[in-house]
Structures are given as structure tokens and as C-alpha cells.
Amino acid sequence: MDPPVTRSRSRGFTLLELLVVMVIIGLLVGYVGPRYFSQIGKSEIKAARAQIDAFEKSVELYRIDTGHFPTTEQGLAALFVKPANEPKWHGPYLKKEPPADPWGNPYIYRAPGQRGDFDILSLGKDGQPGGEGEAADIAN
């Protein structure tokens, strides 16, 4: 008698199984992706608010030392580089040059401001005045 013939059957995934897994992955990405990217937008807004708060404190220190706020023309650069004809300047008031906002746009500094003695603001993600959500202006 001959021994029974055993066929070696290769194990693998069928096309149907692969498609089901791909659909499941696609659904997960569709559900998790928007939530992930909305968190990135919220963190950029929080970062802009934190930077504006730090600038505001530095501007107040500048005022304490010099007796006045930096002019609009001097801007936030006056917190890092001594302005010409400013004998009471004891800075720098920032460790490095003022960075751009989280979207790559420069912060706007105005003295006197529309909301107080001075304004520091970011125009948000769109870089345009006004807007809503991530495109909204962020100010001190």
C-alpha cells in the first residue's frame, strides 16, 4: 500500500480578506484623521496665545525700564534689539528675536492699541483680519 498523499497547501490571505482589512483601515482613518487634525489646529491657537502672553509681559518690562511702550514702528524687535536713542533700555527682554506666529506670519504690534495701551495680535491661519475658528484673530 502506498502512503497517503498529503498535499502541501500554501497558507495565505485571499483577496476578499485583504479587501475587508483595507476597508476597516480606511474606516478607522476616516474616523480618527479629522479628530487628529482638529487637535493640531487647537494646539497652534494655544501656542499663539502663549507667545502673545509672553510678548505682553516683555512689553510691560520694557515700559517699566524706559517709561514708555515701544512705538509701532519699533515693534516687537525693540524687545530684543536696543532701539536707537533709548538710554534706559536694559534688555533684551526676549531670549531671541520674536518668532512668527504658528502659521508663519509675523505678529502685529500697535502702540497705542485699539483695545488698550498696545495690541499684539496674530491674524490666525488665513493671515487675514477677522475670520472664525482657526482663521480668527488672536490678540492680547
Side-chain angles (χ1 to χ4, degrees), residues 7 10 13 27-29 42 46 69 80 93 96 106 118 120 133-134:
R7 293 184 181 183
S10 69
F13 296 105
L27 289 172
L28 287 172
V29 167
K42 288 178 185 176
K46 288 179 183 177
F69 295 108
F80 184 70
Y93 301 94
K96 56 184 179 177
F118 62 92
I120 303 171
E134 291 181 39

Side-chain angles (χ1 to χ4, degrees), residues 58 61-68 70 74-94:
S58 297
L61 289 173
Y62 180 98
R63 184 193 59 80
I64 289 169
D65 284 350
T66 64
H68 59 87
Q74 291 170 329
L76 295 174
L79 303 175
F80 184 70
V81 177
K82 181 179 179 182
N85 302 323
E86 190 58 67
K88 296 180 184 177
W89 190 85
H90 298 292
Y93 301 94
L94 294 173

Side-chain angles (χ1 to χ4, degrees), residues 49 57 75 102 121:
R49 284 192 178 130
K57 290 174 182 169
L121 65 132

Side-chain angles (χ1 to χ4, degrees), residues 2-134:
D2 292 335
V5 177
T6 59
R7 293 184 181 183
S8 68
R9 207 170 157 199
S10 69
R11 294 274 185 201
F13 296 105
T14 65
L15 181 59
L16 183 59
E17 291 169 328
L18 289 174
L19 288 174
V20 168
V21 169
M22 290 177 65
V23 167
I24 291 171
I25 290 172
L27 289 172
L28 287 172
V29 167
Y31 179 73
V32 173
R35 292 175 185 258
Y36 172 75
F37 288 111
S38 71
Q39 292 301 319
I40 290 175
K42 288 178 185 176
S43 67
E44 289 172 331
I45 291 169
K46 288 179 183 177
R49 284 192 178 130
Q51 286 179 329
I52 288 172
D53 186 51
F55 295 151
E56 190 173 19
K57 290 174 182 169
S58 297
V59 169
E60 290 291 344
L61 289 173
Y62 180 98
R63 184 193 59 80
I64 289 169
D65 284 350
T66 64
H68 59 87
F69 295 108
T71 65
T72 300
E73 293 75 29
Q74 291 170 329
L76 295 174
L79 303 175
F80 184 70
V81 177
K82 181 179 179 182
N85 302 323
E86 190 58 67
K88 296 180 184 177
W89 190 85
H90 298 292
Y93 301 94
L94 294 173
K95 291 183 181 180
K96 56 184 179 177
E97 285 188 70
D101 69 11
W103 301 279
N105 302 313
Y107 284 97
I108 297 170
Y109 172 82
R110 292 186 291 234
Q114 296 172 349
R115 297 177 182 92
D117 292 326
F118 62 92
D119 291 338
I120 303 171
L121 65 132
S122 165
L123 297 178
K125 186 174 186 175
D126 64 353
Q128 302 296 320
E132 296 179 8
E134 291 181 39

